[in-house]
Amino acid sequence: MITLMLLLAMLHTGLSDISGYEELQKNFRMKLGLSQRPVINENINIPSATMDLFKLTSKQKMTTHFPLPGLHTATANTARIYHNKGSAPIKTKSKKYRLQFDIDSIPEREQVKAAEVRFTMKYDQELRNDEFIHVVLHDIVQPGTKGLSKPILRIIDSKSINMSTISKTESFDVTPFLERLSKNNFKENHGILVQCVTESGSHTHLLSVFDFVSPENTLLLVYTDDGTSQKSTLERMMRRIKRSVDAPTVPQKKAKKKREICQRYPMYVNFTEIGFSDWIQAPGGYDAFYCKGECKFPLANHLNASNHAVMQTLMNSYNSSKAPRACCVPTKLSTQTLLYKDDDGKLVVKNYQEMTVDECGCR
């Protein structure tokens, strides 16, 4: 939050300290878990499932957690997206298919909380009846050797789908698959085996149910917690606020007469203006707001002043040399969802805390 405010201040007040600007960009990227500025191609194909997750998460403001029923995402604030790299089935009557995701690591500070595979379903008119299709996903613990041994498989999730009421996408919980990979440093990633069976016991052709032709239509979403969900302490927030005090645009004596009481003011952060639009895919910007104004004695009730701020203001009123006035700072902040690409070029949906000022007060 403060980083973005400083970036805007540097651009709009004419400050041209390039090294300082680059340092601020680096600081913001580090908060997102990026070690360097991502290199982005001009034409980026964002899967619909990824955009749906972004839109769903953007609706919530008071928590960084993903609102996904059935998945253990209670503390997850980051979603990493991986495309299926497996070749489409050559035979149209294929009964089994191996999904392959090139996930070889997770940032060290992030802890896996949940994972799912999202499929794009096909509307095959011949299958759109009251029959149920039973879909089973297996973790390939160890691949088999043709003519010598069978693969070692472990069922990780299954679901019965009514083909007459089939939805656009279907999700399967593959958390056990990710947990096994993370324990082995992602060195034994042999993929996931998908199998379909009808109620009658016959195998269903996979290409009649799933769209495996386009890689972006089969996604692995890994939900992690980077440990930043816990809010900053008030003391830390105040130190950061004091370091980012705006430079006055008019002489202090003239401005003093027109100073307003502590309140929230509009501020729109445009990612194009601050040079982030080439790697932040969505949104194009957002309403961040900022706090400004005086905390005069006596402090009004609507200023949401802490007991300490009341005492400090009282002391300042009694003797200004004893203590400065309390500061006008954000007292309530909410999250903002960002969709961007990481160091490896993978799409990431992240709920970034303390990005929007909801309320201001004296502290």
Side-chain angles (χ1 to χ4, degrees):
M1 175 65 195
I2 304 305
T3 302
L4 290 177
M5 291 175 66
L6 286 172
L7 283 170
L8 285 174
M10 294 180 71
L11 290 172
H12 291 294
T13 59
L15 298 178
S16 57
D17 186 350
I18 302 301
S19 61
Y21 177 75
E22 291 179 350
E23 184 65 25
L24 287 172
Q25 280 199 341
K26 179 181 178 181
N27 180 267
F28 184 67
R29 292 197 303 269
M30 289 178 63
K31 290 179 180 294
L32 295 177
L34 302 173
S35 60
Q36 58 187 0
R37 187 184 183 90
V39 178
I40 305 299
N41 297 324
E42 292 185 2
N43 298 320
I44 297 178
N45 185 15
I46 300 178
S48 58
T50 302
M51 188 55 69
D52 290 343
L53 178 63
F54 169 77
K55 292 178 179 178
L56 175 66
T57 310
S58 297
K59 295 179 181 178
Q60 59 179 26
K61 291 296 183 181
M62 300 316 299
T63 176
T64 60
H65 308 153
F66 288 93
L68 300 172
L71 289 174
H72 299 289
T73 56
T75 61
N77 64 348
T78 305
R80 299 185 176 277
I81 295 89
Y82 302 84
H83 295 82
N84 174 35
K85 296 296 183 180
S87 301
I90 300 177
K91 299 179 181 179
T92 58
K93 296 184 178 181
S94 298
K95 302 175 181 179
K96 297 179 181 180
Y97 179 62
R98 181 162 70 112
L99 304 174
Q100 294 178 289
F101 302 100
D102 61 345
I103 175 171
D104 54 11
S105 66
I106 291 291
E108 187 175 347
R109 67 174 182 172
E110 296 184 15
Q111 182 180 2
V112 175
K113 293 296 181 180
E116 65 171 325
V117 169
R118 290 192 184 185
F119 297 100
T120 298
M121 310 301 290
K122 296 184 68 174
Y123 290 81
D124 193 312
Q125 293 296 331
E126 294 182 3
L127 290 174
R128 293 202 69 183
N129 48 44
D130 291 331
E131 185 173 27
F132 279 83
I133 302 297
H134 302 292
V135 182
V136 184
L137 269 63
H138 304 263
D139 176 11
I140 304 177
V141 179
Q142 181 177 316
T145 303
K146 188 174 183 179
L148 296 177
S149 62
K150 294 183 178 180
I152 298 177
L153 306 176
R154 180 180 64 163
I155 295 179
I156 47 180
D157 198 10
S158 62
K159 184 182 295 185
S160 294
I161 303 173
N162 188 334
M163 297 305 293
S164 63
T165 58
I166 191 172
S167 60
K168 181 180 179 181
T169 61
E170 289 290 343
S171 171
F172 290 80
D173 188 345
V174 296
T175 305
F177 170 67
L178 260 294
E179 291 176 341
R180 182 183 68 81
L181 292 184
S182 60
K183 288 180 180 179
N184 297 298
N185 296 320
F186 297 88
K187 294 181 179 179
E188 298 180 6
N189 181 7
H190 307 301
I192 296 175
L193 187 68
V194 184
Q195 180 181 359
C196 289
V197 182
T198 64
E199 288 181 305
S200 60
S202 62
H203 290 277
T204 301
H205 302 155
L206 290 173
L207 293 182
S208 299
V209 182
F210 302 106
D211 183 1
F212 287 142
V213 177
S214 303
E216 65 273 10
N217 285 336
T218 303
L219 302 175
L220 169 66
L221 292 90
V222 181
Y223 302 96
T224 65
D225 180 4
D226 65 2
T228 63
S229 294
Q230 185 175 2
K231 290 187 176 181
S232 303
T233 63
L234 179 60
E235 291 78 12
R236 181 183 176 187
M237 181 175 66
M238 288 181 64
R239 288 198 298 269
R240 291 162 61 189
I241 290 288
K242 289 178 181 179
R243 289 197 298 265
S244 61
V245 175
D246 293 334
T249 56
V250 294
Q252 190 71 12
K253 291 183 179 180
K254 293 182 180 180
K256 190 173 183 179
K257 295 180 181 180
K258 297 182 179 181
R259 281 182 177 176
E260 300 290 341
I261 196 168
C262 177
Q263 58 187 296
R264 189 179 76 156
Y265 288 88
M267 180 182 74
Y268 182 77
V269 176
N270 187 314
F271 289 132
T272 299
E273 288 184 0
I274 61 176
F276 287 0
S277 61
D278 59 335
W279 57 278
I280 293 182
Q281 303 303 302
Y286 76 103
D287 292 308
F289 302 100
Y290 72 95
C291 297
K292 185 179 179 181
E294 288 192 335
C295 295
K296 289 183 177 181
F297 178 82
L299 294 176
N301 291 332
H302 71 271
L303 291 180
N304 192 26
S306 64
N307 292 335
H308 180 272
V310 172
M311 291 297 103
Q312 182 175 333
T313 304
L314 182 61
M315 289 298 296
N316 174 266
S317 178
Y318 170 72
N319 188 340
S320 60
S321 64
K322 295 288 186 180
R325 285 182 180 175
C327 300
C328 179
V329 299
T331 56
K332 184 178 180 182
L333 300 108
S334 56
T335 64
Q336 174 63 46
T337 304
L338 300 180
L339 171 60
Y340 61 94
K341 279 205 170 185
D342 65 7
D343 296 338
D344 299 323
K346 300 293 189 303
L347 284 171
V348 177
V349 177
K350 187 178 185 68
N351 296 326
Y352 195 37
Q353 66 174 356
E354 299 182 348
M355 290 281 279
T356 301
V357 175
D358 293 327
E359 296 178 4
C360 299
C362 295
R363 291 290 187 269

